[in-house]
Amino acid sequence: MQSIFTVPDLACGACADKIGQAIHLVDPQATISADPQTKQVQINSDLSATTLESTIVAAGYTVSK
């Protein structure tokens, strides 16, 4: 299932990498695309959107509703 999140503080490639690493800790099979220009994170994962959002927040980022 694909989930798309807006992450206002996604500022650079290092931020994208940090989010990707956090997601891969909870779902090693997930595919992630994070674009600092659009502030969008797209994740294909079997995990729920709620779990993925919580993981992004736990990594130190905010998710806009």
Side-chain angles (χ1 to χ4, degrees), residues 1-5 23-24 26-32 42-49 51-53 55:
M1 149 176 68
Q2 183 177 31
S3 300
I4 300 173
F5 302 97
I23 296 297
H24 281 135
V26 295
D27 182 0
Q29 305 304 317
T31 58
I32 303 149
Q42 296 181 13
I43 304 169
N44 286 311
S45 171
D46 291 334
L47 297 177
S48 71
T51 300
L52 296 172
E53 180 178 342
T55 302

Side-chain angles (χ1 to χ4, degrees), residues 3-18:
S3 300
I4 300 173
F5 302 97
T6 300
V7 182
D9 42 0
L10 175 61
C12 62
C15 297
D17 288 344
K18 186 175 177 184

